[in-house]
Amino acid sequence: MTAPVPEWLRDLQERVAEARSTDFSRWPLPEHGGREAAVLVLFGESESHGPDVLLLQRAAKMRNHAGQPAFPGGAADPGDGGPQQTALREANEEVGLDPASVTVLSELPPIWISVSDFVVTPVLAWWHTPHPVWAVEPAEVERVSRLPLAELTDPANRLRIRHSSGYIGPAFSVDGLLVWGFTAGILTVLLDLGGWSRPWDTSRVENLPVG
């Protein structure tokens, strides 16, 4: 039985159906290559802070994306059967998420991450039965957070980050986390599509902290 989607999430659910890869990234999908991967964009709701989204922070000693906030997810395994299965499996392995507590709403358009040559499919989902989650493997995940949408959309918490390569992209500073890169880009588009974004100072640009 599919759990009903809350009213606040329905506009986003409807609008992402018409979204294209170019809405999320300036990089076109490669004609050949690109390893398949998926991430779980999991929206929930808490009595204490209202609607939220689940993120994790990767461990500081990881080889790739060390210390960076991200959606649960990773590379596809041969037996996954598609992006939804990949995203749910990875979320279970990383944060102990029970797949039965989730209603998958849709798959977003695949996005190519040129620096790692992954083609990532974000999977949009509703966490109809939230439960405790944690860093299952501390060597890979440092912390797990449910970030309130009210804080993500607070203009005081929004900025743009300048990478050492010169690239400047959107970012969020919430709950001691600096969310930038791929994850911040996805969140920015989804907040806009959901009708939750508020005007913010896009001239606020800071350099990405080193280390």
Side-chain angles (χ1 to χ4, degrees):
M1 181 176 178
T2 301
V5 177
E7 185 69 31
W8 59 265
L9 192 53
R10 289 178 188 168
D11 281 349
L12 176 61
Q13 182 184 14
E14 293 175 0
R15 291 170 182 165
V16 295
E18 300 179 358
R20 299 171 297 177
S21 294
T22 53
D23 294 325
F24 294 91
S25 174
R26 62 178 180 172
W27 304 106
L29 294 176
E31 293 184 8
H32 306 285
R35 187 178 179 189
E36 293 184 356
V39 296
L40 186 67
V41 185
L42 184 60
F43 286 97
E45 190 167 10
S46 165
E47 291 185 1
S48 62
H49 61 232
D52 59 30
V53 65
L54 182 71
L55 291 187
L56 57 82
Q57 183 177 16
R58 303 207 175 279
K61 294 185 178 181
M62 286 192 69
R63 180 179 301 177
N64 296 317
H65 309 297
Q68 190 171 343
F71 299 114
D77 280 353
D80 281 343
Q84 295 183 27
Q85 289 77 12
T86 297
L88 291 171
R89 174 185 56 75
E90 285 282 340
N92 174 260
E93 294 174 359
E94 292 179 325
V95 305
L97 181 74
D98 179 4
S101 70
V102 173
T103 297
V104 172
L105 303 179
S106 64
E107 295 178 11
L108 304 186
I111 302 162
W112 181 47
I113 302 180
S114 59
V115 66
S116 58
D117 196 31
F118 275 102
V119 175
V120 182
T121 300
V123 176
L124 182 67
W126 160 237
W127 200 5
H128 59 78
T129 310
H131 60 82
V133 287
W134 69 98
V136 175
E137 286 289 346
E140 297 182 4
V141 177
E142 184 170 316
R143 62 180 284 197
V144 183
S145 300
R146 295 178 63 177
L147 300 185
L149 298 192
E151 294 188 25
L152 288 168
T153 57
D154 185 340
N157 296 334
R158 303 198 65 173
L159 68 156
R160 295 197 297 156
I161 284 292
R162 181 187 294 109
H163 191 267
S164 58
S165 65
Y167 172 75
I168 299 176
F172 302 83
S173 181
V174 176
D175 192 27
L177 295 176
L178 179 63
V179 185
W180 60 281
F182 171 84
T183 304
I186 298 297
L187 280 175
T188 296
V189 176
L190 294 182
L191 293 177
D192 289 344
L193 290 176
W196 306 315
S197 292
R198 298 160 57 189
W200 57 285
D201 183 9
T202 57
S203 68
R204 178 188 173 192
V205 179
E206 299 181 7
N207 291 327
L208 180 66
V210 179

